[in-house]
Amino acid sequence: QVQLVQSGGGSVQTGGSLRLSCAASGSPICMGWFRQAPGKEREGLASINVRETTTYAASVKGRFTISRDNAKTTLYLQMNSLKPEDTGIYFCAAADKWTCLIQTDIGYWGQGTQVTVSS
């Protein structure tokens, strides 16, 4: 059983930056970030596995950077050039698979944190 505890988030203006963190109780093979915007399905944004292979959704590629610490237990999401459409609840996720960018891959979820981008 993996427990995920998130921190970070908040409110920022368009063009600003935020950093999210997620501490895992273990070192899952794959960790990622999902976002659920108001009235929309939860979508995968970025994932990274223990081989440091990263995958990004087209909507965030070039603006967001996912990373893990050396122990592979803390996950980060650096979000730059934020837009109002980035507003939503952000979830940390983990899976014992090599990729984890779709909900059906995920075995563990963080508690979620709100990110609000104002214009």
Side-chain angles (χ1 to χ4, degrees), residues 12-18 63-64 78-83 117:
V12 67
Q13 291 189 325
T14 296
S17 298
L18 284 173
R63 299 188 298 123
F64 291 10
Q78 178 65 42
M79 304 184 291
N80 298 328
S81 302
L82 283 161
K83 307 174 183 179
V117 185

Side-chain angles (χ1 to χ4, degrees), residues 29-47:
I29 294 174
C30 187
M31 295 183 74
W33 292 98
F34 284 68
R35 175 175 67 206
Q36 188 157 19
K40 294 189 176 181
E41 295 285 322
R42 193 174 298 187
E43 62 170 332
L45 302 178
S47 69

Side-chain angles (χ1 to χ4, degrees), residues 16-84:
S17 298
L18 284 173
R19 190 193 200 202
L20 305 181
S21 299
C22 174
S25 60
S27 53
I29 294 174
C30 187
M31 295 183 74
W33 292 98
F34 284 68
R35 175 175 67 206
Q36 188 157 19
K40 294 189 176 181
E41 295 285 322
R42 193 174 298 187
E43 62 170 332
L45 302 178
S47 69
I48 184 169
N49 63 27
V50 291
R51 293 175 178 170
E52 301 296 313
T53 301
T54 57
T55 306
Y56 293 93
S59 59
V60 304
K61 196 169 186 179
R63 299 188 298 123
F64 291 10
T65 302
I66 190 170
S67 61
R68 293 172 82 164
D69 67 347
N70 288 338
K72 307 288 189 286
T73 58
T74 303
L75 180 72
Y76 304 99
L77 185 69
Q78 178 65 42
M79 304 184 291
N80 298 328
S81 302
L82 283 161
K83 307 174 183 179

